Amino acid sequence: TSHQGGYSHDAVVHALKNCGIRHIDTAKRYGCESLLQKAIKESGVKREDLWITTKLWHSDYGYENTKKACLNSCERLGVEYLDLYLMHWPDTHVLGKSNREVRAETWRAMEELYEQGLCRSVGVSNFLISHLEQLKEDCEITPHVNQVEYHPFQRPQELVNYCRRREIVFEGYCPLAKGQALTHPSIIELARKYGRTPAQICIRWSIQNGIVTIPKSTNTERIQENCKVFDFTLAEDDVEILNGMHDGRHVSWDPSLVV
């Protein structure tokens, strides 16, 4: 799900009931946590069979605010715990405090939520190596996940390698580059070669690069299509073609804006 046309009740129910999808990624920012509660109930899928990720928006950063925000998200989702809770953004603006101080204070609350079992795992989103290094110095628990934009045009391999060295799971969003990848001639050519769609090529490439991949769609047919990526493998040479398409463009955020 996302905040820009990122929610469809029918699509979520279809994904859960008919496609075998069990990972739901949402955020307070997206404004659909309470809508998801209804869709999950309608799907009939048991809570314990789901992996629910939501995110803490930067306006809720700070020790006490973080704890309240987590409880509020749980209430809106209709759950007693979260499988994964992420700090949505490294940057925030709190009068009299640096971003680093606010991140550290917020993360201490995240650590306690984890230790209490309210969050089965905790992580961050859009964090660069510099942010993760600061957190390492300031806090006790290493983030379990770093969720970052990842697609053929944005492949931050240095960050991926850093996360792997520290056993931080790297999770990639926008695997289709918000549709920009679907019209690239090389991707269209690979889709023809494998008898697949451009979207399936991008998702399969991301998975083969060892990335936890979370495509978003509100279209039931495309959700079904996005799931059919486990019955074929891209040749190494073709993976390298896609790896070579990195040009540094962002379709979601610009890291130069955060400190």
Side-chain angles (χ1 to χ4, degrees), residues 119-155:
C119 303
R120 300 286 172 91
S121 44
V122 288
V124 295
S125 184
N126 302 310
F127 274 46
L128 305 177
I129 292 172
S130 58
H131 305 128
L132 292 165
E133 278 290 291
Q134 288 175 355
L135 213 55
K136 181 181 176 183
E137 292 173 16
D138 297 339
C139 302
E140 298 295 322
I141 295 173
T142 301
H144 300 123
V145 171
N146 187 18
Q147 186 183 112
V148 177
E149 182 180 340
Y150 189 93
H151 48 75
F153 312 126
Q154 179 52 234
R155 188 174 71 94

Side-chain angles (χ1 to χ4, degrees), residues 83-87 107 109-111 113-114 119-124 141-145:
D83 295 284
L84 175 62
Y85 198 36
L86 302 176
M87 287 180 67
W107 189 253
M110 300 280 280
E111 289 176 331
L113 291 166
Y114 170 66
C119 303
R120 300 286 172 91
S121 44
V122 288
V124 295
I141 295 173
T142 301
H144 300 123
V145 171

Side-chain angles (χ1 to χ4, degrees), residues 47 51-56 66-74 77 79-87 106-123 141 144:
R47 168 66 187 99
W51 179 279
I52 298 176
T53 299
T54 193
K55 308 178 194 78
L56 174 74
T66 295
K67 293 197 162 187
K68 285 179 195 167
C70 180
L71 289 169
N72 289 339
S73 280
C74 285
L77 286 160
V79 299
E80 293 181 357
Y81 67 92
L82 300 170
D83 295 284
L84 175 62
Y85 198 36
L86 302 176
M87 287 180 67
T106 301
W107 189 253
R108 279 193 289 275
M110 300 280 280
E111 289 176 331
E112 289 187 21
L113 291 166
Y114 170 66
E115 286 163 352
Q116 291 161 6
L118 195 62
C119 303
R120 300 286 172 91
S121 44
V122 288
I141 295 173
H144 300 123

Side-chain angles (χ1 to χ4, degrees), residues 8 19 32 55 59 64 92 98 125 181 191 194 205 209 216 235 251:
S8 160
C19 301
C32 59
K55 308 178 194 78
S59 60
E64 292 298 338
T92 188
S98 69
S125 184
Y194 287 90
W205 164 79
N209 276 341
K216 185 220 86 176
V251 299

